[in-house]
Amino acid sequence: MSALIDVVEEQREPLLREPSPPPPLLPSKHSSENDDIVPFSSSDGPDSPAPNPADQNQRLVSLDVFRGLTIALMILVDDAGGAFPSINHSPWFGVTLADFVMPSFLFGVGVSVSLVFKKISSKTTATKKVLLRAIKLFLLGVLLEGGYFHGRNHLTYGVDVAKIRWLGVLQRISIGYLLASMSEIWFVKNIMVDSPVAFVRKYYAQGLFAILLCSTYLLLLYGLYVPNWSFAVSSLNVAGNTSDTQNVHCEMRGSLEPPCNAVGFIDRIILGEKHLYQRPVYRRTKECSVNSPDYGPLPPNSPGWCLAPFDPEGILSSLMAAITCFVGLHYGHIVVHFKGYKQKILLWSFFSIPLLIIGYILEVLGIPLSKPLYTLSYTCITAGASGLCLTIIYYIVDVKHFRKPMILLQWMGMNALIIYALAARELFPAAVQGFYWRSPENTLVDGTEALLQAMLHSRKWGTLAFVMLEVLFWGAVAGFLHMKGIYMKL
């Protein structure tokens, strides 16, 4: 759910490939750089191959396109996932198109962080700025995803503070950004990279920190004892006006099934069940829906946990999600220290393909793919796919300069935060939906979708056509903002 989003907008400064001394920071009306974060040229030694012209005096446009593609993909799966359940999030185990969105956001954040913190004159000042940005992004996530804005089909606003959802997409991104940035500020050695050994020496402490996070996640996921628990079934989730209490029997360790995993247990203890996501994806499993893999009525004799809350961006799973940011950091380090485009493509491919293979091997060995739990196999496969996708886009956009067909995605990537808030969180559709003729269904948004469905004589394909127009619309909006020099950052 980036992918997502460039929380570090300083990457907009050109990535210069000139030798030392470092060039001065280029001014820009949409970038307010700080003296503690100063991009500098990579030093790869005198024997480094001459840089390709595609690599000189330009920003990494492919990263903008990658972010824009992630935003477009999010709009697609969010708005067309109901009509095409096969592209919607997997009900629990497995991976679908929608399950690549969040890792892509996180991967892009990691790449951006590595490009920004290439040289830091004041670690303390940089740390304060990172903390402030992480807090602002987290609070924005609470505002957008905590329930205050209810979206296009629910023309209400406001939230019961006793039930507000504390975690979500932007909150998870803020956690990954914070951990990745802190590691880049404090754990990277200040040494020149002129050999593979020096590269390892420079970043090995950061790698150990990532391994520590991963190990903590695995120890808790497989070692934490999950006792029996109960929850109150809200009248919003069942027919009638009464509430009920359901008991869930666990008393086990290492379970990855919906009712008894350590991810949900930690969230229930720390956050409380009322502050978790109330309509989790496992309600689309065969045990919980007659329309699986889509939402539907409960089957006869369905287990009680089908109505239990579960947060797909929980505390423990966010630790593992941060690992995707660290993978992105590594890809960014390759950009910093290797000048030739062939070297970048070779090294990115060298890490992307093994990650995909390792992920599938882990699945065969018994670690299933699960986005809600953010399992190790899921981490490897989605990070590898993100790296491979960035590699392909880099070759097309930054090496071959095949950019005009990608311009809408580039614009969306340069203003990812605005597009996410207005489109993916439905602020703009909800505002338009607030103006209707006699009935809330008679609006420009619903009317356009209904018209396309009627023209194509299909609800599914009409919805898909509407979503494609929606993506084009937001690409045009992003282009207009770009031409006006308007960029939103935190």
Side-chain angles (χ1 to χ4, degrees):
M1 314 240 9
S2 216
L4 80 337
I5 295 174
D6 184 18
V7 297
V8 193
E9 295 294 332
E10 292 92 335
Q11 191 267 332
R12 290 205 172 92
E13 297 303 329
L15 302 180
L16 301 181
R17 298 292 183 262
E18 303 295 333
S20 298
L25 211 57
L26 299 181
S28 172
K29 62 181 177 181
H30 59 271
S31 179
S32 55
E33 304 305 322
N34 304 290
D35 293 339
D36 60 300
I37 304 172
V38 184
F40 76 111
S41 302
S42 61
S43 300
D44 298 280
D47 298 328
S48 299
N52 184 276
D55 290 330
Q56 294 191 31
N57 297 330
Q58 66 176 19
R59 60 176 293 162
L60 199 63
V61 178
S62 52
L63 185 56
D64 287 325
V65 175
F66 178 82
R67 279 195 297 262
L69 178 62
T70 303
I71 286 287
L73 186 60
M74 170 176 274
I75 296 173
L76 173 66
V77 298
D78 282 354
D79 293 352
F84 296 89
S86 59
I87 68 172
N88 204 347
H89 290 289
S90 176
W92 191 254
F93 293 131
V95 64
T96 65
L97 185 63
D99 296 319
F100 287 92
V101 174
M102 171 61 78
S104 297
F105 275 133
L106 296 169
F107 179 87
V109 168
V111 177
S112 295
V113 168
S114 67
L115 299 179
V116 171
F117 297 114
K118 289 189 278 188
K119 186 176 182 180
I120 305 166
S121 59
S122 174
K123 292 186 177 182
T124 302
T125 304
T127 299
K128 291 179 181 178
K129 294 183 183 299
V130 166
L131 287 172
L132 180 60
R133 282 182 175 167
I135 291 172
K136 289 192 292 185
L137 187 64
F138 190 96
L139 294 178
L140 178 61
V142 173
L143 178 65
L144 294 179
E145 303 176 70
Y148 190 86
F149 300 103
H150 293 258
R152 166 186 164 189
N153 297 319
H154 303 279
L155 298 181
T156 59
Y157 65 92
V159 64
D160 183 351
V161 177
K163 300 178 180 179
I164 191 171
R165 184 186 175 204
W166 296 118
L167 297 177
V169 174
L170 292 182
Q171 296 92 313
R172 170 166 285 181
I173 293 176
S174 71
I175 293 171
Y177 163 69
L178 176 65
L179 294 174
S181 297
M182 288 301 182
S183 73
E184 193 75 2
I185 293 171
W186 293 100
F187 296 152
V188 173
K189 303 293 184 181
N190 187 23
I191 61 176
M192 178 179 292
V193 175
D194 53 7
S195 69
V197 174
F199 186 90
V200 173
R201 286 178 55 210
K202 186 176 183 70
Y203 297 111
Y204 84 93
Q206 186 180 74
L208 292 178
F209 181 64
I211 292 174
L212 177 62
L213 290 177
C214 183
S215 300
T216 302
Y217 164 85
L218 292 173
L219 286 173
L220 292 174
L221 180 67
Y222 289 102
L224 190 63
Y225 176 78
V226 180
N228 297 332
W229 58 286
S230 61
F231 66 97
V233 180
S234 171
S235 59
L236 297 175
N237 298 324
V238 293
N241 297 320
T242 60
S243 296
D244 192 12
T245 299
Q246 292 283 349
N247 297 313
V248 182
H249 300 281
C250 292
E251 295 184 334
M252 63 180 68
R253 289 184 174 88
S255 173
L256 301 185
E257 298 293 335
C260 298
N261 59 79
V263 173
F265 173 62
I266 291 176
D267 289 339
R268 290 191 298 272
I269 294 297
I270 298 178
L271 301 176
E273 65 181 59
K274 293 182 179 180
H275 298 285
L276 305 180
Y277 189 56
Q278 299 296 313
R279 201 165 180 251
V281 291
Y282 59 62
R283 294 194 188 179
R284 295 167 39 226
T285 60
K286 293 181 179 180
E287 295 91 341
C288 301
S289 173
V290 296
N291 297 332
S292 181
D294 200 0
Y295 289 101
L298 293 172
N301 302 319
S302 60
W305 53 261
C306 285
L307 297 176
F310 179 88
D311 208 302
E313 281 83 39
I315 297 173
L316 181 58
S317 57
S318 291
L319 287 183
M320 195 64 188
I323 300 301
T324 306
C325 286
F326 282 84
V327 176
L329 280 177
H330 182 66
Y331 281 67
H333 295 155
I334 291 173
V335 173
V336 172
H337 296 291
F338 294 89
K339 298 177 182 178
Y341 76 93
K342 292 182 180 179
Q343 290 178 305
K344 296 184 182 72
I345 292 174
L346 179 63
L347 290 172
W348 281 353
S349 302
F350 177 77
F351 287 104
S352 299
I353 295 175
L355 277 173
L356 289 168
I357 296 174
I358 291 171
Y360 282 111
I361 291 175
L362 290 174
E363 184 186 20
V364 172
L365 294 177
I367 301 179
L369 301 170
S370 177
K371 189 263 181 186
L373 299 178
Y374 222 102
T375 55
L376 182 58
S377 58
Y378 171 79
T379 303
C380 291
I381 285 180
T382 54
S386 297
L388 198 58
C389 182
L390 179 61
T391 303
I392 295 171
I393 293 175
Y394 171 76
Y395 180 76
I396 295 173
V397 173
D398 283 320
V399 176
K400 293 301 182 180
H401 293 278
F402 190 70
R403 295 179 178 177
K404 288 185 178 179
M406 306 286 185
I407 192 66
L408 288 180
L409 296 178
Q410 181 184 348
W411 289 339
M412 292 174 71
M414 296 175 72
N415 242 321
L417 190 55
I418 289 181
I419 304 304
Y420 174 82
L422 294 180
R425 298 313 308 166
E426 295 190 323
L427 295 189
F428 178 79
V432 174
Q433 206 79 336
F435 296 90
Y436 56 85
W437 176 256
R438 295 184 178 177
S439 172
E441 290 76 25
N442 298 327
T443 65
L444 179 63
V445 179
D446 282 343
T448 303
E449 185 173 2
L451 176 63
L452 290 171
Q453 291 173 347
M455 291 174 60
L456 297 175
H457 304 287
S458 170
R459 175 183 175 274
K460 293 174 57 175
W461 295 108
T463 298
L464 181 61
F466 173 78
V467 173
M468 298 307 296
L469 287 177
E470 186 181 2
V471 172
L472 292 175
F473 170 78
W474 287 113
V477 170
F480 174 78
L481 295 175
H482 170 64
M483 293 173 187
K484 294 297 183 179
I486 300 173
Y487 303 89
M488 178 181 178
K489 68 174 184 176
L490 296 177

